[in-house]
Amino acid sequence: MPRQMLSLLGLGLVPLSPLVAQDDWPIHPPAQTHVDSERLRIPIIPDVEGRPAVTAMVNGTGPWRFRIDWGANAFVVSDSLARVLELPRTGEVRSPTGFLPVVSVDSLRLGGARFLGLRAAVGGFSDPTSDGVLGFTVFADLLMTFDFPTNTLVLERGELADPDGESILALAKPDEARLDYLGIPMDARDRLDTQPHINFRLGGLDGSAVMDTQAGGFLYLPDSLMRDFSGISDTSEMLGRGPQMGTMTLRELRVAEPLTVGGYTVQKPLVTFRNRPGPMLGMGFLGQFAVTLDQRNARVRFKRADRTFTPPEAPWEREGERPVVENAAEYAGDYGNRRVTLEEGTLFLQRTDHTPAPTPGRQVIAPKLALMPAGEDEFTIPRIPQALVRFVRDASGTIVGVRVHQLNGTWEESTRR
């Protein structure tokens, strides 16, 4: 019997696909890149699912919070940031969700690195905790290392050594089916690297996968391939969604076949099968390494001590994932923009106010977050350690509302309907 769980893509964070040009092309590298020292170390601020974000100054103001996305090759700012800074509009760009404005940005600063003369698309993602997205082409003039074990972004001049097929690999040709799906025109494919791909082997399957730092899973494959692999776990069903992906069911499975990338072998990898083209390596895989991208020479380097490893247990593989709550039924109900449901003895909290994507028939769906009892009428959210959920009772003892402690330190209160 398949277990049910929330999407690893969760919390309304929508990975951006490459933007397709109309009158402008906001994926060009900055006009100038300056660094204060030969090697800069910038703290990574992971989100609740471990995906990388940093703080940066824009046109001398900030700090602002940006996700760094290797699955996107565009610099994107939120509508609110563009409005607050009065960024001048220079054109528009076509994306999978419609046309987006393009604005000019004089400067972007991350620690001792300054990027001058940029263009950015405005909007096109749904993450209320983020002010924008930094695609990989922002860093085109630098070696860029995600040292995930230490949560550090390293920026430096230089280049990687020649590919050795072990730790240093040549970037692979993008998957044509995925480019077709994303609507990248043929002439655009000749003049840009849409996403950084690497070759992999899973059992008898050889392919190229995009490295996506905003995807929460380990390895994603089209669900048409699921029958080709031997499962050694129950299947976990998840909900995936996004403006360009729509709503879909994802099926995660630990498979018997080993995954090989360069000189590294993953035993019993976790694979997420979905009804979308194109393999993808997410943070479950990338987070095991210090990964360096050399865009100028189309190379990538992986570093970790062990050449062979097994991914840690997924949440749905661990016992006790769903704690039983006494008198849980009295908490279930609608609370303004949130809903609390009771499923098999576990309470789940879900936002209900996410805006539907503009693509007809597609919808952005917030994940259901399991609640862990922490005290009288208080719960924690295992996937968001900083959060606290506190139910409010009236004088008669009836639950009349819920208060949720936000990541920014404030409380948001919703009244029960």
Side-chain angles (χ1 to χ4, degrees), residues 182-201:
L182 294 173
I184 308 299
M186 294 303 297
D187 61 341
R189 301 179 194 186
D190 295 335
R191 57 192 175 102
L192 69 111
D193 292 325
T194 57
Q195 294 168 312
H197 285 69
I198 55 172
N199 290 325
F200 72 94
R201 183 176 182 84

Side-chain angles (χ1 to χ4, degrees), residues 107-402:
S107 67
L108 174 77
R109 185 178 185 108
L110 278 75
R114 290 177 296 128
F115 306 92
L116 308 179
L118 305 103
R119 284 174 290 175
V122 179
F125 67 100
S126 58
D127 174 9
T129 69
S130 175
D131 298 300
V133 177
L134 302 180
F136 61 88
T137 50
V138 171
F139 307 90
D141 293 331
L142 301 173
L143 284 182
M144 177 185 188
T145 300
F146 277 127
D147 189 342
F148 289 115
T150 65
N151 279 329
T152 304
L153 172 65
V154 181
L155 301 176
E156 57 191 325
R157 299 285 186 183
E159 61 182 27
L160 294 178
D162 292 339
D164 58 13
E166 297 289 326
S167 295
I168 301 177
L169 308 177
L171 293 182
K173 181 180 179 180
D175 181 272
E176 290 295 327
R178 182 170 177 80
L179 297 182
D180 290 340
Y181 171 70
L182 294 173
I184 308 299
M186 294 303 297
D187 61 341
R189 301 179 194 186
D190 295 335
R191 57 192 175 102
L192 69 111
D193 292 325
T194 57
Q195 294 168 312
H197 285 69
I198 55 172
N199 290 325
F200 72 94
R201 183 176 182 84
L202 179 67
L205 172 67
D206 291 305
S208 67
V210 62
M211 296 181 290
D212 193 337
T213 56
Q214 293 297 317
F218 199 89
L219 170 66
Y220 296 83
L221 292 178
D223 57 10
S224 59
L225 300 175
M226 188 171 179
R227 63 180 179 271
D228 297 334
F229 298 98
S230 304
I232 55 175
S233 71
D234 290 339
T235 301
S236 173
E237 292 188 358
M238 303 174 284
L239 188 64
R241 80 288 172 274
Q244 77 277 8
M245 295 188 302
T247 302
M248 59 185 163
T249 297
L250 308 177
R251 294 176 175 86
E252 189 170 64
L253 183 67
R254 190 177 290 274
V255 303
E257 291 81 2
L259 169 68
T260 302
V261 176
Y264 295 94
T265 299
V266 182
Q267 302 287 2
K268 303 176 182 178
L270 289 164
V271 182
T272 302
F273 295 93
R274 59 182 189 164
N275 183 23
R276 295 296 183 269
M280 186 166 64
L281 286 164
M283 281 300 299
F285 175 83
L286 299 173
Q288 307 297 318
F289 299 89
V291 190
T292 302
L293 182 63
D294 179 350
Q295 295 183 55
R296 287 187 175 277
N297 296 295
R299 299 167 188 166
V300 64
R301 180 181 64 201
F302 294 89
K303 276 189 176 182
R304 64 166 283 134
D306 301 327
R307 291 283 180 163
T308 300
F309 63 97
T310 300
E313 287 183 316
W316 51 269
E317 294 180 296
R318 294 193 290 265
E319 294 297 325
E321 168 72 4
R322 298 186 170 189
V324 176
V325 180
E326 293 185 7
N327 303 319
E330 65 176 324
Y331 297 102
D334 289 320
Y335 298 80
N337 61 353
R338 290 181 170 86
R339 178 177 297 123
V340 177
T341 57
L342 178 63
E343 301 176 19
E344 299 180 7
T346 299
L347 288 169
F348 290 88
L349 179 71
Q350 182 182 32
R351 290 192 71 104
T352 58
D353 60 351
H354 283 268
T355 304
T359 305
R362 296 183 177 181
Q363 186 179 21
V364 175
I365 299 176
K368 294 179 181 179
L369 302 173
L371 298 179
M372 177 76 72
E376 186 175 356
D377 293 334
E378 287 191 346
F379 297 81
T380 59
I381 302 175
R383 292 185 180 275
I384 313 177
Q386 305 95 323
L388 180 65
V389 178
R390 182 177 296 158
F391 289 90
V392 180
R393 296 180 184 269
D394 62 13
S396 67
T398 301
I399 295 176
V400 295
V402 65

Side-chain angles (χ1 to χ4, degrees), residues 57-74:
M57 306 292 287
V58 178
N59 289 356
T61 71
W64 308 97
R65 187 176 185 274
F66 287 87
R67 293 187 282 121
I68 301 183
D69 190 353
W70 278 6
N73 57 0

